[in-house]
Amino acid sequence: MTDPPPTEVHDEPSAAPEHESRREPAITARSPWVLAGRRLLRDRVAIVCLVVIVLIVLLAVFAPLVASITGHGPNQQYRDTGLSPDGLPRAPSGEFWLGTDSLGRDILVRIAYGARISLLVGVVATALTVTIGVVVGLAAGYLGGVVDTILARVIDVVLSVPFLLVAIALVSIFGAGLLNTVLVIGAFSWASMARIVRGQVLSLREREFVEAARSMGASSARIMFVDILPNVLAQVIVYTTLLIPVVIVVQATLSFLGLGLPAPTADWGGMISEAQNYYTTSWWFVLFPGLALLATTLAFNLFGDGVRDAFDPRAEGLTRGWKG
Amino acid sequence: MLWFLLRRTFLGALVLWLITMGVFALFFVTPNNVARSLAGRQATPETIQLVEARLGLDQPIWKQYLDFVRNALHGDLGYDYYHQQPVTEIIVAALPITVSLAVGAAVLWMLLGVTNGVISAVRSGSFADRALTTFALFFYSMPTFLLGLLLLYFLYFQLTLSGYPFFPPGGYVPFTDDPYEWTRHMVLPWVTLALVLAATYTRLTRGSMLDVLGEDYIRTARSKGLRESRVVVVHGLRSALTPVVTQFGIDLGQLVGGVVVTETVFSMPGLGKTAIDAINRQDLPVILGIVLFASAAVVVANILVDLAYAMLDPRVRLH
Amino acid sequence: MSLLEVRNLAVAFPTPDGVVRAVRGVSLSLNQGRTLAVVGESGSGKSVATQTLTGLTRGAKVEGEAWFEDTELLTASDRTLRQIRGARIGMIFQDPLSSLHPYYTVGWQIVEMIRAHDRTTSRTAARERAAELLGRVGIPHAQERIRDFPHQFSGGMRQRVMIAMAMALDPALLVADEPTTALDVTVQAQVLSVMRDLQDEFGTAIILITHDLGVVAQIADEVAVMYAGSVMEMASRRQLFYEPHHPYTEGLLASLPTAGNGRKRLVPIAGNPPSLIAPPPGCPFAPRCPHAFAHCWEEAPPLRAVYGDTAHQSACWLPTDVAGRQAARDRLRTATGGVQ
C-alpha cells in the first residue's frame, strides 16, 4: 500500500503512425506548463479539492486559535465536564463541538492539532521520498553501466521488502517519533519513484538535446539536473501529489497500530486507534477523526487525479472529457 | 525459459540474502532488552546473562548471522524466544489464515475492479464513468483500518443491535472445522481488503482500456463487423489485462506475506497479526522469519508475473 | 446504378476547443470493379469521410446520404452496419503492424472474421479458407504461417495478411486507407499489385485513400482530390495527371518527383491547411493559392464541370475552359518570373 496507483505508463513503445487524427485544430505553440495549468483551473473537482486542502492547512496552522476559541487545550483532560458520570466520552454539545474522547479531551481541538502531524509527515516524508527517488532514478538511468546495475538491484530489493512489517519493526526499535516515522517512510518508499524516473531517463538519454549538451562538454551532473530533470518533472509532480495521501495514510496506520507519536500528542491515526474500543458507545469519537483523515486523503487524491489529467489529457475520455 | 528461471531464482535468492542481512543488522545490532524482559523484573545480571546465552545472544553478531543463514538454508528459522516453538511452525499455522484472506479478497477485488474499469472505459465520460471513478477513488483514499472499523460498526454492531447477528466482530474459524463459520468470519475482512484494493484495479483497468480502445487493431476489429461486446472483451480487455495482471501478482505476493492492518482490525491470527505481536514482544526470530517469508513471497510473485507476462503477450521473450 | 453513392457528406466533431468540421459536403460515386483514389494531405478529411461511411467514427455529427447496395449507411442501424462491415465492405489500414491484434495468430484473426458473419462455416473449414487466402495474396507456406503472430511477419507480408482478411468474405467494396504508406517502395508496388489482381478476379470496387500521387498513378481509375474537408477536384486518372484544373492539384503535381525531371526543383505548396474549427468563408485553399483573387475569399466555389467534360469537376473560380485556364497559368508564370 505504499505506491500510488500506477500512472498508466506503458513500457512498450506503441507504434503511433502519422495518420489523420480526428481533431486537428491549428495548434499554436504554448508551454505545456501553461496548458496544464489552464486545464487544471478548468477542472472544478480539482479546484474544490484544492480549497479543501487549503482549509485543512489553515486548520493546522491556526490550531492554537481553535484551542483558544473553544478554550480547550489539545491535551487537557476535562474529567468533570468532558466525561459522563460513568467515565464515558461526551457527545457533541455547545461546550465540546465534536464531543470528547475517552480521557475527556476536546476532539475538535485534537483534530486541529492532529492535522499538523498528518500534513507535516505527509509533506516532509514525500519530499524525502521524491528527492531520493529522483536522484537514484536519474543516476541509474543516465550513468548506466555498473551504477545502473547496482541501483536497479537495490530498487528490486527495496520493492521486495514487506514495507509495513519492516516499518513497524523499525519504528518499534528506534522509537516512535516524528523524525523516525519520516525517515522510515522515506527509506522504503523511494523505489517506485526511482523506477519511474529511471525509465523516463533511459528514453531521454539518447535524445538530440542530451547529445548536444554532451558534445558541448557539459558535466554529467549538469546534464542530469539541468537538461534531463525538467523533462521528467511533469511525471514527478503527478507522482508527488498522489504520494502525499499515501504517506498520510501510512503515518496514520503506524499510529493506529500503536506506533504513532508518544502520548499525549494528538494525531489522527492514534485518535482512531483509541476510539476503537468505544465505537459501540461513542460514534463521534471514531467518526470525526476518521472523517478528517478521509477528507484529507480524498482531497489530495482527487486533486492529484486532476493534476495527472492536466498533464496527460489522453487520460480523459476518447471523444469528450467530462472534466474538460 | 529454463535459463530465465535459473537466472531469476538466482537473483531472487540474492535479493533475499540482502534482505536478511539488512534485517539482521537492524534488529541485532540495535540494543534490545529481550533477555532482560524474559528474565523478569527482579533478575540478577547473572540470570540475564544465562538467558542471553540460552538464546545465543552472547555470541558475536557475525556468528549469530552465519548460524541463522546456515539453519535457514536447512529450512530451520529458529525458535521463538518465549515458548521455544519453531518459527516455521508458527508461520505454517498462521499462513492459511492470511492466504484465505488474501485469495478471497483477490477474487472480489478483481471482479469488482476489472468490471468497473471496463465499464468506465467503454462509457468514458458518461455518468456511470464518473460515478465508478469517484467510487473507486473514495475507497482508494480510505485507510484500511478506518474502513474495517466502519464495516464493524455498521455490519456487526448495528446489525447485531437490530437483531441480525450475522457478522461476528472478528476472529477466525478454520475452513476444515466449519466451512459456514469460516465464511461468516471471512466476509467482512474480505470486503474491507477488496474495496480498498479494487480502486487501484478500476483505475488501472480504465486507463489501460482507454489506451487499448484507441489502438488501430480495435478499429480493425470493428471493421471486421464484430459485435461491440466482442471487440471490447476479446480484443480490448485481452490486451488491457496485461498491466492489471502484473499489479495483481505484486499485490497478491505482498498480501500473502501478511495482511497486517486487516488482520489486526478483525483479530485474525494470520501472518501480519503474528508479526505485529512478535514486534511488540521483540521476538526477533519470529520477526525475522516472517519478514523473510514475506519477502520470498514477493520475489516469487515477481517471477510468476514475468512468466504470466510472457504467456499473455506472444511478443515477449523470456531471457 | 453505382455501387456507392455519397451525397453531401458532412462530419463534425465537438471538441473542448470548438466544433471541428472535418468533412464539409463531400459527394462521391463509385461503380462496381472500379478504383477511386481519394487524395489529400493528412487532415484533409479523407479518412474521416470513409470511416464515417462504415460507422467507425464515434461521437461525430453526421449529415448527408450514402447509398451502398440499397442501404443508406448514415442512418442504418448498428446491426445493419455491423453486417455490412467485413462482409460487404472490407477495410485495410495504414500500419499493418498496429492494425493486427498482437496477441492472436493471423489464422485466428482471419477465422474470427469469417465466423463472425457466417456461423455455418466450421472452424476447420474457416481455417482452410484462411490458409487458402494467405496463399492467394502471396504468402509462402501459408498452411504453416497461419499459426504465426503478426510480429513474425515483415511489413509487406503483414499488409498482405490484412488484405487477405479484408477479402475473406468477397466484399463488394474494399476501403484501403493509406495501405502502402508504412511500406518500402518496392513492397508498395507488390502490395498494390496484389490488390489489383484480387480486384480483377472478384470484381471488387476499391476506395484508395492516399496522399501519394505515385500510388494513384499505379492503381486509380477515378481520383478525388480533397482539401480541408472538401473535394477540390474530381477527374479520371488521366485527366487529373495531364489536365489538372484546380491550383491545389497542380500544386500537388508540382511537388511530385517524377523520373525525367531530375533537374527541375520540386515545388512544395507554401503555407498550411486552414483550421477546421472556424474555416474561412471563401475557398479553403485561397490563403495558399497563387491565383487567388478577391472573389475567392468571399465565396467558396462549387464543383463545376471543366474542360467541357461532365466527369471532370473542379471547385475553383478560374475559367472552366482549357484556353481560359491556360491563360491564368501563363499570367502567373510571367508575374512570378517563371518559377511556377
Side-chain angles (χ1 to χ4, degrees):
Chain A
M1 283 303 295
T2 57
D3 301 348
T7 46
E8 287 109 40
V9 181
H10 280 278
D11 294 338
E12 302 155 35
S14 58
E18 253 272 291
H19 60 85
E20 284 177 273
S21 127
R22 283 169 188 169
R23 32 167 133 156
E24 284 182 309
I27 291 167
T28 48
R30 267 176 265 168
S31 141
W33 298 95
V34 176
L35 278 178
R38 207 170 288 175
R39 279 194 217 105
L40 195 58
L41 282 179
R42 259 189 293 173
D43 185 342
R44 265 173 297 146
V45 178
I47 296 304
V48 169
C49 289
L50 190 60
V51 170
V52 171
I53 292 170
V54 169
L55 286 178
I56 294 165
V57 170
L58 289 178
L59 183 69
V61 171
F62 294 106
L65 192 66
V66 176
S68 71
I69 290 174
T70 56
H72 302 143
N75 300 323
Q76 214 163 341
Q77 304 179 3
Y78 299 91
R79 288 169 186 278
D80 308 325
T81 51
L83 289 177
S84 70
D86 5 323
L88 285 174
R90 284 229 186 249
S93 63
E95 172 70 14
F96 298 99
W97 295 353
L98 299 183
T100 63
D101 71 5
S102 52
L103 293 174
R105 295 174 294 195
D106 188 325
I107 288 181
L108 171 63
V109 179
R110 286 180 70 75
I111 286 178
Y113 276 88
R116 299 180 146 197
I117 305 294
S118 281
L119 291 176
L120 195 64
V121 174
V123 170
V124 177
T126 301
L128 183 65
T129 301
V130 170
T131 310
I132 303 177
V134 167
V135 171
V136 172
L138 276 176
Y142 181 73
L143 298 176
V146 185
V147 180
D148 184 32
T149 311
I150 294 174
L151 287 179
R153 202 51 55 212
V154 173
I155 292 174
D156 277 356
V157 172
V158 174
L159 286 177
S160 304
V161 169
F163 167 74
L164 206 52
L165 278 184
V166 172
I168 294 162
L170 285 177
V171 173
S172 79
I173 291 172
F174 293 109
L178 215 49
L179 185 64
N180 284 347
T181 306
V182 167
L183 288 179
V184 165
I185 294 175
F188 288 99
S189 313
W190 56 269
S192 318
M193 180 91 230
R195 183 177 268 187
I196 291 174
V197 172
R198 175 176 173 271
Q200 295 261 306
V201 173
L202 280 179
S203 65
L204 284 170
R205 194 170 63 172
E206 307 307 327
R207 294 267 289 276
E208 291 88 348
F209 69 94
V210 177
E211 291 286 338
R214 210 176 290 144
S215 69
M216 292 187 329
S219 70
S220 291
R222 193 188 150 78
I223 294 176
M224 277 196 281
F225 289 99
V226 178
D227 295 309
I228 293 182
L229 184 58
N231 288 287
V232 299
L233 216 52
Q235 275 274 345
V236 171
I237 286 175
V238 169
Y239 193 85
T240 303
T241 41
L242 291 170
L243 193 61
I244 291 175
V246 175
V247 169
I248 290 178
V249 168
V250 170
Q251 191 272 332
T253 303
L254 287 176
S255 281
F256 176 79
L257 294 171
L259 299 159
L261 301 175
T265 315
D267 83 302
W268 295 344
M271 290 172 77
I272 296 169
S273 175
E274 288 161 17
Q276 260 191 105
N277 301 320
Y278 292 89
Y279 72 82
T280 51
T281 52
S282 321
W283 54 267
W284 57 91
F285 191 5
V286 67
L287 181 71
F288 292 119
L291 273 184
L293 183 55
L294 186 58
T296 309
T297 53
L298 194 57
F300 270 109
N301 273 322
L302 280 169
F303 180 69
D305 233 31
V307 172
R308 195 217 335 245
D309 285 350
F311 276 108
D312 183 13
R314 211 169 39 91
E316 284 182 353
L318 276 178
T319 45
R320 58 229 135 104
W322 57 272
K323 284 178 167 185
Chain B
M1 176 70 185
L2 187 68
W3 176 236
F4 165 83
L5 279 180
L6 282 174
R7 192 175 142 271
R8 290 299 300 265
T9 311
F10 171 74
L11 284 177
L14 187 72
V15 166
L16 290 183
W17 176 60
L18 288 171
I19 288 175
T20 58
M21 282 227 292
V23 174
F24 210 85
L26 285 170
F27 288 99
F28 286 77
V29 173
T30 51
N32 65 65
N33 48 7
V34 182
R36 189 178 304 265
S37 59
L38 268 181
R41 201 160 290 195
Q42 275 100 40
T44 59
E46 288 75 35
T47 324
I48 293 176
Q49 265 179 5
L50 259 170
V51 173
E52 279 191 336
R54 187 167 59 82
L55 300 178
L57 291 170
D58 56 340
Q59 303 282 327
I61 300 287
W62 61 268
K63 186 152 186 322
Q64 290 184 43
Y65 179 68
L66 284 185
D67 284 345
F68 169 79
V69 171
R70 189 177 319 117
N71 290 334
L73 286 177
H74 290 99
D76 173 9
L77 294 172
Y79 300 85
D80 86 299
Y81 284 166
Y82 295 82
H83 307 103
Q84 300 301 314
Q85 201 186 350
V87 171
T88 42
E89 266 180 30
I90 296 178
I91 293 180
V92 168
L95 189 59
I97 301 170
T98 304
V99 169
S100 315
L101 184 49
V103 172
V107 172
L108 273 183
W109 90 57
M110 279 300 266
L111 282 177
L112 199 64
V114 172
T115 314
N116 287 355
V118 169
I119 296 173
S120 256
V122 170
R123 301 252 173 280
S124 156
S126 70
F127 175 77
D129 178 25
R130 272 167 91 160
L132 288 174
T133 313
T134 312
F135 173 82
L137 211 60
F138 180 78
F139 284 107
Y140 177 76
S141 304
M142 178 84 89
T144 315
F145 62 89
L146 189 59
L147 181 60
L149 288 179
L150 285 177
L151 289 182
L152 274 180
Y153 180 74
F154 288 108
L155 296 180
Y156 154 66
F157 178 63
Q158 289 293 351
L159 218 56
T160 307
L161 216 60
S162 334
Y164 302 100
F166 184 72
F167 297 109
Y172 177 77
V173 176
F175 182 79
T176 43
D177 286 10
D178 186 343
Y180 173 73
E181 281 297 318
W182 176 79
T183 317
R184 212 166 78 87
H185 281 79
M186 294 307 293
V187 171
L188 290 186
W190 277 340
V191 171
T192 305
L193 206 51
L195 279 179
V196 170
L197 279 159
T200 309
Y201 290 81
T202 304
R203 288 157 55 117
L204 195 59
T205 308
R206 178 180 185 272
S208 176
M209 270 306 265
L210 279 180
D211 280 350
V212 169
L213 289 179
E215 292 281 353
D216 288 350
Y217 55 77
I218 296 296
R219 183 181 56 188
T220 306
R222 292 206 175 101
S223 81
K224 287 160 81 173
L226 304 179
R227 279 169 203 287
E228 190 60 20
S229 57
R230 188 175 171 90
V231 173
V232 168
V233 176
V234 178
H235 289 252
L237 189 57
R238 174 69 171 74
S239 312
L241 225 41
T242 311
V244 177
V245 167
T246 306
Q247 180 73 23
F248 178 74
I250 291 168
D251 278 345
L252 199 60
Q254 293 215 339
L255 288 181
V256 166
V259 193
V260 180
V261 179
T262 312
E263 285 175 5
T264 306
V265 171
F266 292 97
S267 329
M268 310 175 80
L271 280 174
K273 181 86 166 64
T274 307
I276 296 285
D277 293 345
I279 287 168
N280 289 332
R281 291 197 313 255
Q282 295 201 321
D283 200 341
L284 304 183
V286 180
I287 304 175
L288 199 52
I290 294 182
V291 168
L292 188 61
F293 176 80
S295 311
V298 173
V299 167
V300 171
N302 278 332
I303 297 177
L304 292 180
V305 159
D306 285 351
L307 285 177
Y309 211 90
M311 274 164 55
L312 282 172
D313 187 342
R315 290 167 301 179
V316 173
R317 286 274 158 272
L318 296 173
H319 55 81
Chain C
M1 173 70 198
S2 50
L3 177 71
L4 176 73
E5 188 78 48
V6 179
R7 280 181 227 123
N8 286 321
L9 176 69
V11 186
F13 295 98
T15 73
D17 301 305
V19 176
V20 175
R21 302 184 57 199
V23 178
R24 304 189 281 162
V26 165
S27 300
L28 299 167
S29 106
L30 178 62
N31 287 328
Q32 205 183 346
R34 302 286 285 177
T35 300
L36 168 70
V38 181
V39 190
E41 297 165 87
S42 58
S44 60
K46 55 196 194 302
S47 290
V48 173
T50 45
Q51 286 183 19
T52 303
L53 295 182
T54 50
L56 289 184
T57 42
R58 320 187 121 211
K61 197 167 156 285
V62 181
E63 282 165 36
E65 275 177 66
W67 289 91
F68 172 79
E69 292 187 329
D70 303 324
T71 311
E72 206 290 296
L73 296 173
L74 303 182
T75 51
S77 68
D78 282 350
R79 192 187 155 79
T80 312
L81 278 178
R82 205 170 61 226
Q83 283 163 351
I84 291 176
R85 278 202 298 268
R88 302 307 302 153
I89 303 182
M91 275 171 263
I92 60 178
F93 302 102
Q94 175 172 346
D95 184 352
L97 180 57
S98 60
S99 296
L100 286 163
H101 201 295
Y103 292 0
Y104 297 107
T105 63
V106 299
W108 186 95
Q109 297 188 47
I110 299 176
V111 168
E112 182 190 37
M113 167 85 160
I114 296 169
R115 305 228 327 139
H117 294 280
D118 183 6
R119 277 273 146 204
T120 57
T121 313
S122 72
R123 236 167 258 281
T124 329
R127 202 168 300 130
E128 281 301 310
R129 173 109 178 100
E132 183 200 324
L133 282 159
L134 288 187
R136 180 75 63 79
V137 294
I139 290 177
H141 313 296
Q143 204 68 44
E144 289 91 60
R145 299 224 68 186
I146 59 171
R147 281 189 294 272
D148 283 351
F149 291 95
H151 70 274
Q152 291 165 310
F153 289 81
S154 68
M157 287 297 158
R158 266 180 227 131
Q159 196 60 292
R160 288 170 195 243
V161 171
M162 279 298 286
I163 294 172
M165 186 157 75
M167 298 295 288
L169 295 163
D170 188 13
L173 173 63
L174 177 69
V175 177
D177 192 342
E178 302 266 11
T180 57
T181 308
L183 306 176
D184 293 343
V185 182
T186 45
V187 181
Q188 278 185 13
Q190 292 165 9
V191 167
L192 288 177
S193 91
V194 167
M195 286 168 62
R196 257 258 119 98
D197 292 348
L198 289 172
Q199 179 175 41
D200 289 346
E201 201 174 328
F202 298 109
T204 320
I206 297 177
I207 293 183
L208 180 85
I209 297 156
T210 182
H211 64 270
D212 185 348
L213 286 170
V215 171
V216 176
Q218 287 180 63
I219 194 168
D221 298 313
E222 275 90 30
V223 187
V225 178
M226 279 189 72
Y227 184 80
S230 310
V231 173
M232 295 285 109
E233 184 161 11
M234 183 96 78
S236 69
R237 171 181 55 167
R238 211 185 154 71
Q239 281 278 322
L240 191 94
F241 279 94
Y242 294 106
E243 289 185 281
H245 179 272
H246 202 284
Y248 177 61
T249 313
E250 277 193 335
L252 283 180
L253 289 169
S255 60
L256 183 73
T258 51
N261 75 344
R263 293 254 184 96
K264 252 166 83 181
R265 284 183 49 206
L266 302 180
V267 188
I269 306 173
N272 290 308
S275 158
L276 295 175
I277 288 185
C283 170
F285 187 61
R288 299 170 76 184
C289 183
H291 295 278
F293 49 95
H295 191 51
C296 299
W297 298 92
E298 286 153 14
E299 193 188 344
L303 275 172
R304 300 181 296 170
V306 293
Y307 306 151
D309 176 359
T310 47
H312 190 170
Q313 297 185 310
S314 170
C316 183
W317 290 123
L318 289 175
T320 54
D321 58 307
V322 181
R325 181 67 184 88
Q326 189 56 44
R329 222 169 265 140
D330 293 340
R331 274 201 304 282
L332 189 66
R333 191 167 296 139
T334 35
T336 55
V339 173
Q340 177 136 14

